[in-house]
Amino acid sequence: MEIIVFRLGHRLPRDERITTHVCLVARTFGASSIYYSGQKDHSLEKSVSSVVENWGGDFSISHEPSPLKRLKALKKSGFSLVHLTMFGIPVEEQKSALSGLGNAVVIVGGEKVPPEIYELSDYNIAVGSQPHSEVAALAICLDRIMEGKELEREFDSNFKGKIYLEPSEKGKTIKRK
Ligand code: SAM
C-alpha cells in the first residue's frame, strides 16, 4: 500500500505553517510523499527535507504546477483518490472502504477547491460536518486508512533517523545514532 498526500493551493505567506504541518502529519502517519500545488516554496521544501534527514523515513516533497493532470495520472495508474472536504460523506460511514483501500492519494484543500476535484475523487470524505483544519482532517483520515498501525511502536522504529525519541513517563529523551 502506498499513500500519497496532495495539498492543493499553497499560498505564501499565509499557508507557510499549516502546509508544513500537513507535511509533518503526512510523514508521521504513513504517507511516503506529498505533492503540493499553488506557490512554490523553497523554504517549505527545505524544512521538510531537514526533518527527513534528521528523523529518517523515506518521505519526499514535490511541487506540482498541474494538480489535475497529476491526479488524473495517479488515478489512471491505480491510486484511489480520497478528497477531504466538510461537504463529503462522514468518515465513520466510509471506514470499511478506507481501511481496504490499497494505493491512495489523500487530497487536502487550501483556497477554494475546484469542482473537478470533487468529480474526479473516488471518495469525498468529511471528518465531521463542520469546517476545521486540513491538519486535523488529514490525521484522522490517515489513521482510518492505516487502521491505527501508524501509532504503534513498531511503525515508529521504521523511520531509522539520525535522532529518535525514547518514550518516557516524564522528561525528554532524545537519542542519536
Ligand atoms: N476555504 C477556506 C480558506 O480558503 O481558507 C477554508 C479551507 S479549509 C481550512 C482547508 C481544507 O481543510 C479543506 O479543503 C479540507 O481539505 C480540510 N477540511 C476542513 N474541514 C474539514 C472537514 N470537516 N472534513 C474534512 N476536511 C476538512
Side-chain angles (χ1 to χ4, degrees), residues 60-107:
S60 61
I61 175 166
S62 318
H63 180 248
E64 176 51 73
S66 310
L68 266 174
K69 203 169 149 194
R70 173 71 66 178
L71 286 167
K72 282 179 186 164
L74 285 164
K75 186 167 174 164
K76 210 169 163 193
S77 67
F79 282 80
S80 299
L81 303 187
V82 178
H83 171 222
L84 292 172
T85 166
M86 65 178 173
F87 301 105
I89 304 298
V91 68
E92 292 304 302
E93 291 173 28
Q94 297 281 25
K95 220 156 65 178
S96 56
L98 291 180
S99 62
L101 263 187
N103 292 346
V105 183
V106 182
I107 306 162

Side-chain angles (χ1 to χ4, degrees), residues 7-8 11 14-15 18 83-88 107-113 118 125-135 137-138:
R7 199 285 194 264
L8 298 170
R11 298 159 291 185
R14 180 175 164 162
D15 292 330
I18 197 129
H83 171 222
L84 292 172
T85 166
M86 65 178 173
F87 301 105
I107 306 162
V108 296
E111 58 190 336
K112 202 168 177 305
V113 175
Y118 291 77
I125 303 273
V127 177
S129 300
Q130 300 287 324
H132 55 87
S133 149
E134 47 271 59
V135 178
L138 179 63

